[in-house]
Amino acid sequence: MADTALPAPGRQRVLDAAAERLVQQGYAATTLRQLAADAGIKAGSVYHHFASKEELFIAVFNRGIEVMVEAFDSVEVADPLERLGAHVRAHLGALFEHGSYTAAHVTAFFTAPPEVRAEVVPQRDEYEHRWNDLLADVFPDLPAGRRPLTRLLLFGSMNTTIEWFHLSGSLTLDDLAAIITSQFIDGIHASHLIRSAR
Amino acid sequence: MADTALPAPGRQRVLDAAAERLVQQGYAATTLRQLAADAGIKAGSVYHHFASKEELFIAVFNRGIEVMVEAFDSVEVADPLERLGAHVRAHLGALFEHGSYTAAHVTAFFTAPPEVRAEVVPQRDEYEHRWNDLLADVFPDLPAGRRPLTRLLLFGSMNTTIEWFHLSGSLTLDDLAAIITSQFIDGIHASHLIRSAR
DNA sequence: GTCTATAGGGAGATAGAC
DNA sequence: GTCTATCTCCCTATAGAC
């Protein structure tokens, strides 16, 4: 494992800048000149690290999935329902607590050109597969054919939190994860009892 | 009410094209030249209808909300829980069955420049307010302070369907609305029984 | 209401010096 | 690994003819 201490290399600074710009501006509006300026280099120097704008953003999107996968795989909880809650918390953690890569992926992936998306699909599939397996494990009664749809609805709630949730607010990420998990498992009637029940 | 029959005026064709391009490409990647070509006119002529690119897209985003509001207000159901389901169905209808304006709003709003977003916020608030009132009506036990969060989680599930749902698939919009409604009210255990229960 | 022509700026990408 | 300089292309927007 490389010693990535103190002064981040140019390539890394460009990637970090790209992730943040993606979240705020989307794919097309983010220019290599901006990224270079953010990273403290000139536009032409970006091409020493990446062959094209597309290759650069493929790296960002893939890193965004890596962060999600690492968060997912770090969960070790025995009880099925508790494990589900831990994975929801881990997914939200990837979105808000481990840099901008996952947030960039979730917000900008669908606005990226088809060639870029195609290079990222395999890694996306891998993450989705993990969740399908988790659902199969936690909800044995859920038909296999319904797992993708169920996952998509849960992802929809989790991923759109980046449009409105802020770590600086009064609602903590633990609270949010607990509410989403409860809402997902038992519906609205149960989810709003969470805070008072503790 | 204007007689908008057969040949759509230039302005209308430009707006239609903008809504579709927004869904597929996002804000920054959509150029006035494309819209003009789609509408069968030249780029310079766009400025006869709109003062700027921003003004054009403000019109698209606002129309997207109008479609949602019209769908919402068309619901007339007495039973509270059934009414909620009807509103979910109406929201999905606005996304998939009444042109591309609502889909454009939902996908591209957050990638639009701040000046554009600011002009659309009041109409967005109006729609969100309708939903908060609906939640208050259907779920009297839900604390008022929890309505926005509850609404946001439901919107997350509904709005991200545009990333994967297609009218041409085997799952109908009625089915999808029923599943989302059931999942929202009673959680996962109830939602996957819907199809077999009919 | 649409056209042509064009101004002025900024985009992605390349070449070669240091 | 970064720089400067530059090519080519396309963008938004404007002016004025029809």
Side-chain angles (χ1 to χ4, degrees):
Chain A
M1 202 163 286
D3 184 11
T4 320
L6 296 173
R11 178 189 160 98
Q12 189 60 43
R13 289 204 311 274
V14 172
L15 286 172
D16 288 348
E20 279 174 31
R21 291 282 185 177
L22 273 180
V23 174
Q24 290 156 4
Q25 309 173 338
Y27 187 92
T30 300
T31 71
L32 299 183
R33 283 174 162 78
Q34 286 177 335
L35 303 186
D38 291 350
I41 60 176
K42 300 298 177 183
S45 306
V46 173
Y47 287 87
H48 175 74
H49 303 289
F50 305 96
S52 66
K53 179 179 180 179
E54 297 182 355
E55 193 184 292
L56 193 165
F57 285 106
I58 288 171
V60 172
F61 287 137
N62 277 332
R63 177 65 191 141
I65 302 178
E66 269 182 44
V67 172
M68 285 192 276
V69 169
E70 287 166 11
F72 189 99
D73 290 346
S74 72
V75 171
E76 292 177 9
V77 175
D79 178 76
L81 286 182
E82 273 184 34
R83 182 162 65 246
L84 179 71
H87 281 296
V88 168
R89 178 61 180 79
H91 185 92
L92 294 178
L95 275 175
F96 292 101
E97 297 177 323
H98 298 96
S100 301
Y101 290 90
T102 299
H105 180 109
V106 162
T107 57
F109 174 76
F110 278 96
T111 71
E115 316 88 71
V116 172
R117 289 205 302 271
E119 295 291 322
V120 185
V121 164
Q123 285 80 349
R124 281 175 65 94
D125 287 348
E126 211 175 305
Y127 186 61
E128 293 169 1
H129 191 257
R130 276 173 161 78
W131 270 91
N132 284 347
D133 288 349
L134 174 65
L135 290 177
D137 203 32
V138 179
F139 305 104
D141 290 344
L142 184 72
R146 278 292 291 278
R147 281 174 213 149
L149 171 53
T150 303
R151 188 198 72 237
L152 285 164
L153 296 182
L154 177 58
F155 275 27
S157 286
M158 290 195 295
N159 289 343
T160 52
T161 59
I162 49 166
E163 293 179 359
W164 53 267
F165 179 80
H166 298 285
L167 283 174
S168 54
S170 62
L171 185 74
T172 69
L173 210 52
D174 283 342
D175 287 336
L176 180 61
I179 289 168
I180 290 178
T181 304
S182 167
Q183 166 74 41
F184 176 69
I185 295 174
D186 293 318
I188 189 172
H189 291 108
S191 73
H192 74 86
L193 300 174
I194 281 213
R195 275 187 129 169
S196 34
R198 282 191 302 176
Chain B
M1 203 164 286
D3 184 12
T4 321
L6 295 172
R11 179 189 160 95
Q12 188 61 44
R13 289 204 310 275
V14 173
L15 285 172
D16 288 349
E20 279 174 32
R21 291 282 185 176
L22 273 180
V23 174
Q24 290 156 4
Q25 308 174 338
Y27 187 93
T30 300
T31 70
L32 299 183
R33 281 176 159 79
Q34 286 177 336
L35 304 185
D38 292 348
I41 61 177
K42 299 298 177 183
S45 307
V46 173
Y47 286 87
H48 176 75
H49 303 289
F50 305 96
S52 67
K53 179 179 180 179
E54 298 182 356
E55 192 183 293
L56 193 166
F57 284 107
I58 288 170
V60 172
F61 287 136
N62 277 330
R63 177 67 192 140
I65 302 178
E66 267 182 45
V67 172
M68 285 193 274
V69 169
E70 287 166 11
F72 189 99
D73 290 347
S74 73
V75 171
E76 291 177 8
V77 176
D79 179 75
L81 285 182
E82 274 184 33
R83 183 161 67 246
L84 178 72
H87 280 296
V88 169
R89 178 62 180 80
H91 186 92
L92 293 178
L95 275 175
F96 292 101
E97 297 176 322
H98 297 96
S100 301
Y101 289 92
T102 299
H105 181 108
V106 163
T107 56
F109 174 77
F110 278 96
T111 70
E115 316 86 73
V116 172
R117 289 206 302 271
E119 295 291 322
V120 185
V121 164
Q123 285 81 348
R124 280 175 66 93
D125 288 348
E126 211 175 305
Y127 186 62
E128 292 170 1
H129 191 258
R130 276 174 162 79
W131 270 92
N132 285 346
D133 287 351
L134 174 66
L135 290 177
D137 203 33
V138 179
F139 304 105
D141 290 343
L142 184 72
R146 279 292 293 277
R147 281 175 213 147
L149 170 53
T150 303
R151 189 198 72 237
L152 285 164
L153 295 182
L154 176 59
F155 275 28
S157 286
M158 290 196 294
N159 289 343
T160 52
T161 59
I162 49 165
E163 293 178 359
W164 53 266
F165 179 80
H166 300 284
L167 284 174
S168 53
S170 62
L171 184 73
T172 69
L173 211 52
D174 283 341
D175 286 336
L176 180 61
I179 289 167
I180 290 178
T181 304
S182 168
Q183 167 73 42
F184 176 68
I185 295 173
D186 293 318
I188 189 172
H189 290 108
S191 73
H192 73 86
L193 300 174
I194 280 213
R195 276 188 129 168
S196 33
R198 283 190 304 178

